[in-house]
Amino acid sequence: MFDRAKQILIAGFCINLCIGILFTWSVFKKALVVDLGWTNSEASLPYTVAIITFSITLLLAGILQDKFGPKRVLIAGTICSGLGLIASGYITNPTQLIFTFGMLAGGGIGFGYACLSPAAMKWFHPSKRGLVNGLIAAGFGLAGVYLAPLITSLIGSYGISYSFIILGIALLCIATPLAFTITNPPSHYVPIASSKQTDKKVAVPQKEMCWTAMLKTTQFYSIWVMYLCASSTGLMIIGNITSIASAQAGMTDAAHLVVILALFNTSGRVLAGMLCDKIGGLKTLSLSFMLSIANMMLFPHYTSHISLIIGMATAGLCYGTLPAVFPSLTAGFYGLKNYGTNYGVVYTAWGVSGFIGPVIAAVAVDTTGNYNLAYFYSAIIMGIAFVFSLLTKNPAVKAVASVKKEDNEMLNTKVTA
């Protein structure tokens, strides 16, 4: 019998495949600049607002799902994001797109994304926490693999307005039915573990903490700063892939770079999740930050097709580490009982980074004509994150009790919202 935990994991992965449209914004941005004559700043602003809105609504969604469960919040999120995309097809100026895509769709995506990892982690043994987060987050990153060429084709055939409408309708038809399947396990549920996992030590909190208690710990501020710094660099690259390719290598069609970044972003999420379970989250972050610093220092020299592929792949790999590791760190430090709210507070760092990274890039290219200044500041920002990853104290680890599969089959079939 296909167990409920795997059903939740697969459904969450598929929903993220639908709402991961943020990773394809550079394709929309190019069309807005080339076809509609918008400036880089005007075309970047809806993306920036979507990231900030995403972060804010993720916090609100975390609070709501801790009280009412994930299903209702997730359904509302998929409907809101679908309607936001449809409404974006009727805009006539940048201000309207800020509302329809930046606020409505961005908020809906935040509501949806907030519910998936918390629900999935509660169904699995803590020793699988990193892998589960990585797989759930992989759906969000993998969305760019099929959405980038799809959106490029839609824009070429029907224009940007109809493309928004078609994508919105598709999201409503696919993601909303899947949202009805996402639930928390029963209160008496104990995660299944294999014989190898029952003796494995994993990071668990000394006690379950609410968000106010979390704010009193030094680890929270270290996690927040690291998330802020690393996300700003990743979002700067993601939001400007096609523009960077055009400016540095004269490439007029760079949609395939979005696909490459998405593939490595997805790989980074899964690999980092597995590595997090093996060596711990902070060590995994340190390795990722070092690689990102080197990549930012080399990015001005990526002036050929091959070198840009290497740079985009590395950026995707590093950025993919974040959504796999930071949820695991939050759960390891502060527990799962209030995880939705706690991670929502942590995730505000991602929202602030959505202003820093893309805006630095937009200002750099509008004032100097290239992205070199943005790369320089990104390398400095990543250096700050690396220092914090070395100074932050690891959460306590201990063996976690679990039950065998045959002892938990009856519990596995009892689902509450």
Side-chain angles (χ1 to χ4, degrees), residues 68-108:
F68 305 111
K71 183 189 292 186
R72 298 176 186 174
V73 181
L74 185 55
I75 292 170
T78 56
I79 292 174
C80 187
S81 55
L83 293 178
L85 288 173
I86 293 172
S88 296
Y90 296 95
I91 61 97
T92 57
N93 58 64
T95 302
Q96 292 175 350
L97 190 59
I98 288 173
F99 174 76
T100 58
F101 184 88
M103 301 180 73
L104 190 57

Side-chain angles (χ1 to χ4, degrees), residues 171-242:
L171 192 153
L172 288 174
C173 293
I174 299 171
T176 302
L178 288 173
F180 280 86
T181 69
I182 303 296
T183 59
N184 283 330
S187 57
H188 51 273
Y189 175 85
V190 181
I192 298 170
S194 67
S195 58
K196 293 182 179 179
Q197 293 163 341
T198 53
D199 298 326
K200 184 176 180 180
K201 290 186 176 182
V202 296
V204 292
Q206 296 299 315
K207 63 177 181 179
E208 297 281 346
M209 291 189 187
C210 63
W211 70 272
T212 53
M214 178 180 70
L215 292 179
K216 297 177 182 178
T217 66
T218 58
Q219 288 91 345
F220 165 76
Y221 297 97
S222 294
I223 292 173
W224 197 91
V225 171
M226 287 188 289
Y227 212 161
L228 171 71
C229 294
S231 296
S232 65
T233 297
L235 292 173
M236 186 271 290
I237 297 295
I238 290 171
N240 295 276
I241 299 173
T242 55

Side-chain angles (χ1 to χ4, degrees), residues 121 129 133 203-205 207-209 214 219-220 223-224 227 276 322 324-347 395:
M121 279 197 293
R129 186 181 292 146
N133 278 313
V204 292
K207 63 177 181 179
E208 297 281 346
M209 291 189 187
M214 178 180 70
Q219 288 91 345
F220 165 76
I223 292 173
W224 197 91
Y227 212 161
C276 178
L322 312 184
V325 175
F326 281 104
S328 299
L329 280 179
T330 304
F333 277 116
Y334 309 113
L336 283 175
K337 182 180 179 181
N338 303 296
Y339 172 85
T341 304
N342 290 345
Y343 188 63
V345 175
V346 170
Y347 207 78

Side-chain angles (χ1 to χ4, degrees), residues 111-316:
F111 262 69
Y113 188 82
C115 300
L116 301 175
S117 286
M121 279 197 293
K122 292 172 184 176
W123 284 96
F124 285 88
H125 190 263
S127 61
K128 294 183 178 180
R129 186 181 292 146
L131 179 60
V132 169
N133 278 313
L135 290 172
I136 287 288
F140 206 70
L142 194 61
V145 174
Y146 78 94
L147 281 176
L150 174 61
I151 293 171
T152 301
S153 177
L154 288 173
I155 292 175
S157 301
Y158 305 104
I160 190 169
S161 296
Y162 281 112
S163 298
F164 275 124
I165 295 171
I166 293 170
L167 291 167
I169 293 173
L171 192 153
L172 288 174
C173 293
I174 299 171
T176 302
L178 288 173
F180 280 86
T181 69
I182 303 296
T183 59
N184 283 330
S187 57
H188 51 273
Y189 175 85
V190 181
I192 298 170
S194 67
S195 58
K196 293 182 179 179
Q197 293 163 341
T198 53
D199 298 326
K200 184 176 180 180
K201 290 186 176 182
V202 296
V204 292
Q206 296 299 315
K207 63 177 181 179
E208 297 281 346
M209 291 189 187
C210 63
W211 70 272
T212 53
M214 178 180 70
L215 292 179
K216 297 177 182 178
T217 66
T218 58
Q219 288 91 345
F220 165 76
Y221 297 97
S222 294
I223 292 173
W224 197 91
V225 171
M226 287 188 289
Y227 212 161
L228 171 71
C229 294
S231 296
S232 65
T233 297
L235 292 173
M236 186 271 290
I237 297 295
I238 290 171
N240 295 276
I241 299 173
T242 55
S243 299
I244 290 172
S246 177
Q248 295 186 195
M251 297 172 61
T252 56
D253 184 9
H256 64 287
L257 291 180
V258 180
V259 176
I260 291 171
L261 187 143
L263 282 171
F264 279 87
N265 183 8
T266 303
S267 301
R269 293 168 187 238
V270 178
L271 293 174
M274 297 170 65
L275 191 61
C276 178
D277 290 336
K278 295 282 186 182
I279 67 173
L282 292 172
K283 290 181 180 179
T284 303
L285 289 177
S286 294
L287 294 174
S288 174
F289 294 163
M290 284 192 295
L291 183 60
S292 184
I293 291 169
N295 195 41
M296 286 299 102
M297 294 176 66
L298 290 172
F299 234 97
H301 306 290
Y302 296 151
T303 56
S304 67
H305 187 194
I306 297 299
S307 61
L308 275 174
I309 288 177
I310 295 173
M312 296 299 178
T314 305

